[in-house]
Amino acid sequence: MHKAILPLIIAFASFSSQSADFEFSTGGGTQYGGFIGIQGGLKFEKSRYFAALGLFGVSAGAQFQMSNDGHHSLGVNGGTMYGIFGGDKDYIAMTYNYHFKGFHNSGWEIGTGVGYFKTEEHSIWFSSDVAEEEEKVHIIFNIGYKF
């Protein structure tokens, strides 16, 4: 009985031994929480999961390496941008990024994508009453530097 279980234990042990690196970056766009912000992420062999805190916004998402040379990645992110005078935007976006020095290296990255935005305009400053709602699809741009 123990001889039959040992190969299963060894096989499943390899799944839990995957290492991840922490990565810090700063930039502008929805991947950085809106206008400008900071981003912390966990980077695996071919994927990266991140959370961002920006000037008037928050974001979370993932990127997946698409090429062997590590320059191209596809991803998804979502978040909220808080309006100073009452308009908040919730969004979800699909993104493409180009990493100048590769997916695993420090350096500049630029990106674009398509995002679905839902905007709620409030009637009075800092009010929770929604005066107007608008839903639109926008092209987005991101630029950042990974440390």
Side-chain angles (χ1 to χ4, degrees):
M1 177 71 173
H2 296 292
K3 291 180 184 179
I5 295 174
L6 184 62
L8 291 173
I9 292 172
I10 291 171
F12 288 123
S14 65
F15 291 123
S16 64
S17 65
Q18 195 175 44
S19 66
D21 294 325
F22 182 77
E23 183 176 71
F24 174 76
S25 59
T26 186
T30 59
Q31 293 178 1
Y32 299 92
F35 178 65
I36 191 167
I38 58 173
Q39 183 187 92
L42 283 176
K43 184 171 51 174
F44 295 93
E45 185 177 339
K46 294 201 178 247
S47 62
R48 182 173 173 274
Y49 304 91
F50 63 86
L53 178 62
L55 189 61
F56 311 116
V58 295
S59 180
Q63 293 178 342
F64 304 96
Q65 180 179 336
M66 297 307 296
S67 63
N68 290 336
D69 62 3
H71 291 289
H72 307 279
S73 68
L74 293 177
V76 62
N77 74 303
T80 300
M81 289 186 281
Y82 303 104
I84 302 171
F85 300 109
D88 297 336
K89 291 184 181 186
D90 296 328
Y91 60 89
I92 187 161
M94 292 182 64
T95 60
Y96 162 79
N97 283 10
Y98 181 80
H99 308 267
F100 286 96
K101 293 190 176 182
F103 188 75
H104 294 289
N105 302 322
S106 298
W108 289 99
E109 66 179 17
I110 59 171
T112 187
V114 176
Y116 170 77
F117 290 79
K118 180 180 177 184
T119 304
E120 293 181 349
E121 293 290 334
H122 302 291
S123 57
I124 302 173
W125 286 9
F126 309 110
S127 171
S128 62
D129 297 333
V130 177
E132 184 178 335
E133 245 182 42
E134 182 179 62
E135 297 178 13
K136 284 189 176 180
V137 174
H138 292 284
I139 294 176
I140 57 172
F141 298 99
N142 297 289
I143 185 167
Y145 187 85
K146 297 185 293 186
F147 296 97

